[in-house]
Amino acid sequence: MKILVCISKSPDTTSKIAFTDGNKQFDENGVQYIVNPYDEWYALVRGLELKETLGGNLTIITVGSAADEAIIRKALAIGADDAVRIDADPKDAYFTAVQIAEYAKTNGFDLILTGKETINYNGSQVAGMIAEAMDLPFVSLATKLDINGTTARMEQEIVGGVQVVEASLPLVVSCAKGMAEQRIPNMRGIMAARTKPLTVVAPAAVEDLTAYVEYGLPAAKSAVKMIDPNNMDELVALLHNEAKVI
Amino acid sequence: MNILVYINSSNHLAKSALEAVTYAKKIGGTITVVATGSVDDSTLATLGEYGAERVLVDRSVATEDSQQVTRMIAKAAESTGAELIIFSHDLVAKAVASRLSVRLKAGLISGAVDVPNTANGFTVKVNVFSGKAFGFVSVKSPKKIISLLPNSFQPEKTGSACPVEAFDGAAGTAAIKVVETKIPEGEIPLPEAELVVSAGRGLKGPENWGIVEDLAKALGAATACSRPVADIGWRPHHEHVGQTGVAIRPNLYIAAGISGAIQHLAGVNGSKVIVVINTDPEAPFFKAADYGVVGDVFEVLPKLTEAVKKFRSTPH
Ligand SMILES: Cc1cc2nc3c(=O)[nH]c(=O)nc-3n(C[C@H](O)[C@H](O)[C@H](O)COP(=O)(O)OP(=O)(O)OC[C@H]3O[C@@H](n4cnc5c(N)ncnc54)[C@H](O)[C@@H]3O)c2cc1C
Ligand SMILES: Nc1ncnc2c1ncn2[C@@H]1O[C@H](COP(=O)(O)O)[C@@H](O)[C@H]1O
């Protein structure tokens, strides 16, 4: 079983969000980057569990600069066998996905896992794009994944319930909550990560189709209106007359 | 401009489908809807009231198979000469819009919250950083795809019923097979709910959820919860909202006994109106709230339920 897990970096979930350069750039000042939670907690850990029971190899891949090697080492410390870094600025989802697909095409993976979305851009784009570029089936936002021979069985949350689906390998799956439990790397893992192979690959020539031209922060909320806990009739009246939501 | 709107009409026309057609109408152009699902022709024809000029439907396509849906939409896009394709940003769109982007080499804007600005190119406002900021994305490719965040536009009727035609999407065989579907009866699905009552660790234990459900029932609301509550098994996982759970944008979000951690807010900050009930006047959630009640959920929730019942039983 050869598994590829796509890892991206994202700002720590408590980061202060601000912009510089006339609102054209994300302000990285004081921002701590982490492995995108969906990639780490769900895709990587479930990939490792599958590898541990079925045997095989788990490679992580990221499209990014040398500065991203800290998050690569973290994923190696959690248990990935080896890592690939495509040496390019991940300009947009299309650019990123095609880079990953180009690498994956020549390396014969049975399973390609991604997170549900990056928590900074929330696009949920990269996985489907990889699948299309490789002409593979794709299951999005899976909350469970089991492999039996060459068949994968997954659960997805659909509106109001759960859907169980099956597909044959090779397959692309994006992973959401429920798939696995977070793993904290131990000292041995952290030591081992230092010597695990990390291959740096030159990017393919791919154009980008989209670009962020500007950012902004939502208008500050007007001050909260406090209601006496003994006067819920007033709250209901406000929700009806003022907020017009009931 | 020729616009194609994709609609997945599994058992009913979701509100988000009407929003997507309304959105296309606001952009302006010749609007064709391409649909999958089991909804009958006369229901699909009502999409004309929101701006569609015609509806193409291929009921043989399996929506769980993103390859099939992608092939079908690509064919519809070609036959209608679509320059812009619009989705509602749901589970199917998240799998299909991205595939279609590669297939058509069309730049994809996901999570749009406004109509495109075409004054200088083609730029669309989107939510980024889990709702903590917004961005403007420009598309460079001639063909473009927009996946619209639900509840950004309200459906608006502007016309009358339109023709519905069978369409052969030449979608090929499905590689994904649905083995089972489990849909609990009678609950309002969270992503579609306009009113949501949510509770956190302040409820102390699963046995206390009756007061949350009573309020939800009185309002006709769905129930939700914070992450720790789902993690310790007090509530089912599909109710967990936030950064790592479901992101929702209801008209009303009532948060009882939830502190308002930044990761929780990330999933609910798109709500139109937020009510917070918490014993701690310093709880961070009050900063994100429209209405706040400092008080004990065990006293406030039953009182609020009574007030809602009283309100609902008198005509307005
Ligand atoms: C990477 C990451 C992702 C995360 N993703 C999510 C996510 O998606 N969703 C999410 O919810 N959390 C998420 N979290 C966790 C988040 O940081 C908080 O820990 C969590 O939201 C707290 O849940 P809570 O408010 O229910 O509990 P607590 O923080 O324990 O707050 C309980 C609140 O109830 C109040 N209270 C207590 N008793 C009463 C009473 N009788 N009446 C009224 N009020 C009372 C207290 O004053 C307090 O404010 C994430 C964390 C991380 C690190
Ligand atoms: N630069 C990147 N390198 C590797 N994988 C990525 C990168 N960006 C996104 N991904 C993967 O694609 C998933 C979805 O990202 P997005 O489409 O940006 O929401 C993430 O959870 C990652 O698994």
Side-chain angles (χ1 to χ4, degrees):
Chain A
M1 182 82 174
K2 274 185 79 177
I3 305 174
L4 183 67
V5 179
C6 304
I7 299 285
S8 57
K9 67 170 180 189
S10 64
D12 174 18
T13 53
T14 56
S15 299
K16 185 174 177 296
I17 306 301
F19 302 97
T20 57
D21 187 19
N23 277 340
K24 288 191 173 58
Q25 288 287 328
F26 173 56
D27 184 358
E28 295 192 308
N29 222 323
V31 169
Q32 174 88 33
Y33 279 101
I34 56 170
V35 184
N36 186 47
Y38 292 106
D39 310 356
E40 178 191 325
W41 302 6
Y42 308 137
L44 176 59
V45 176
R46 188 61 194 140
L48 288 169
E49 289 169 356
L50 289 171
K51 186 202 93 162
E52 285 156 8
T53 47
L54 303 169
N57 186 80
L58 187 147
T59 302
I60 51 165
I61 187 166
T62 196
V63 181
S65 69
D68 300 344
E69 291 188 5
I71 65 137
I72 295 178
R73 292 289 169 204
K74 169 90 187 280
L76 289 171
I78 294 171
D81 295 302
D82 47 55
V84 174
R85 178 171 68 81
I86 312 243
D87 188 21
D89 172 27
K91 285 183 219 138
D92 75 343
Y94 177 82
F95 176 91
T96 305
V98 177
Q99 299 296 345
I100 295 172
E102 285 300 313
Y103 176 82
K105 269 178 198 165
T106 52
N107 287 277
F109 292 99
D110 302 298
L111 189 60
I112 300 177
L113 301 179
T114 76
K116 166 190 165 189
E117 64 185 25
T118 45
I119 62 167
N120 35 0
Y121 292 107
N122 312 103
S124 245
Q125 302 187 31
V126 169
M129 289 179 174
I130 296 172
E132 185 67 18
M134 298 181 70
D135 200 20
L136 289 178
F138 167 48
V139 173
S140 61
L141 277 57
T143 53
K144 263 203 178 127
L145 164 65
D146 288 298
I147 307 281
N148 188 350
T150 57
T151 306
R153 177 183 274 243
M154 286 138 293
E155 289 192 7
Q156 288 174 296
E157 273 172 18
I158 54 173
V159 175
V162 172
Q163 165 174 291
V164 186
V165 298
E166 273 185 6
S168 294
L169 303 180
L171 178 69
V172 181
V173 181
S174 74
C175 304
K177 183 198 150 105
M179 183 146 299
E181 297 290 333
Q182 184 180 14
R183 276 192 194 180
I184 310 292
N186 57 25
M187 208 52 205
R188 243 181 69 212
I190 294 167
M191 297 302 287
R194 293 191 187 154
T195 53
K196 283 182 179 171
L198 191 170
T199 314
V200 179
V201 177
V206 177
E207 77 271 51
D208 42 323
L209 303 177
T210 61
Y212 275 89
V213 289
E214 205 188 321
Y215 298 92
L217 297 172
K221 269 235 171 200
S222 52
V224 49
K225 210 175 245 183
M226 299 309 289
I227 317 285
D228 182 338
N230 292 311
N231 196 353
M232 287 301 102
D233 288 330
E234 185 196 349
L235 176 58
V236 170
L238 285 168
L239 291 176
H240 178 65
N241 298 321
E242 186 178 79
K244 299 192 183 352
V245 289
I246 62 171
Chain B
M1 180 159 56
N2 287 318
I3 304 180
L4 186 67
V5 181
Y6 168 69
I7 278 172
N8 163 29
S9 65
S10 298
N11 329 302
H12 68 299
L13 269 188
K15 178 167 167 263
S16 56
L18 311 181
E19 291 171 11
V21 178
T22 301
Y23 178 74
K25 178 72 183 171
K26 286 200 184 293
I27 295 172
T30 307
I31 302 161
T32 308
V33 168
V34 60
T36 51
S38 51
V39 166
D40 61 28
D41 282 6
S42 61
T43 307
L44 288 175
T46 62
L47 291 169
E49 297 168 9
Y50 301 89
E53 297 200 358
R54 65 189 174 123
V55 178
L56 308 174
V57 57
D58 186 343
R59 293 198 175 84
S60 70
V61 170
T63 49
E64 62 277 5
D65 190 290
S66 56
Q67 282 176 300
Q68 279 203 322
V69 185
T70 303
R71 289 182 203 118
M72 181 205 72
I73 301 176
K75 190 178 167 202
E78 195 188 296
S79 73
T80 56
E83 295 146 83
L84 175 63
I85 301 155
I86 293 171
F87 291 84
S88 177
H89 201 47
D90 61 9
L91 183 71
V92 176
K94 282 176 184 173
V96 173
S98 49
R99 296 198 80 115
L100 194 67
S101 169
V102 171
R103 195 174 193 96
L104 303 180
K105 266 210 174 191
L108 165 59
I109 294 182
S110 93
V113 294
D114 205 347
V115 292
N117 179 345
T118 50
N120 184 6
F122 189 97
T123 309
V124 185
K125 186 177 178 182
V126 298
N127 264 8
V128 289
F129 293 97
S130 307
K132 287 175 250 173
F134 55 83
F136 291 93
V137 188
S138 78
V139 186
K140 305 171 180 177
S141 52
K143 285 188 190 132
K144 300 163 177 77
I145 306 173
I146 296 178
S147 194
L148 174 69
L149 216 56
N151 218 2
S152 303
F153 285 86
Q154 291 310 306
E156 272 173 38
K157 287 191 185 182
T158 48
S160 53
C162 68
V164 178
E165 298 160 32
F167 178 69
D168 177 5
T173 53
I176 313 259
K177 181 169 95 209
V178 175
V179 194
E180 199 188 340
T181 309
K182 306 176 230 177
I183 299 199
E185 292 285 317
E187 284 176 34
I188 301 172
L190 190 50
E192 282 199 8
E194 303 206 344
L195 309 174
V196 175
V197 181
S198 185
R201 263 206 305 231
L203 267 282
K204 311 274 191 288
E207 67 281 6
N208 297 328
W209 242 263
I211 54 172
V212 178
E213 280 161 355
D214 287 347
L215 176 59
K217 209 164 155 215
L219 280 167
T223 50
C225 68
S226 68
R227 193 176 109 202
V229 161
D231 282 353
I232 33 186
W234 292 0
R235 298 298 294 172
H237 278 302
H238 67 254
E239 282 196 1
H240 154 203
V241 291
Q243 184 118 64
T244 44
V246 192
I248 54 170
R249 322 182 77 217
N251 289 335
L252 174 62
Y253 184 74
I254 300 180
I258 302 177
S259 56
I262 195 157
Q263 298 92 355
H264 184 85
L265 295 180
V268 302
N269 55 16
S271 310
K272 295 233 159 65
V273 173
I274 295 179
V275 175
V276 169
I277 303 164
N278 200 304
T279 39
D280 174 9
E282 301 296 321
F285 219 145
F286 284 118
K287 289 203 183 69
D290 298 280
Y291 301 101
V293 181
V294 176
D296 185 337
V297 284
F298 296 101
E299 287 164 24
V300 175
L301 281 182
K303 280 186 189 152
L304 180 53
T305 306
E306 281 319 304
V308 169
K309 281 187 183 157
K310 201 164 85 192
F311 168 80
R312 290 280 200 230
S313 64
T314 50
H316 297 280

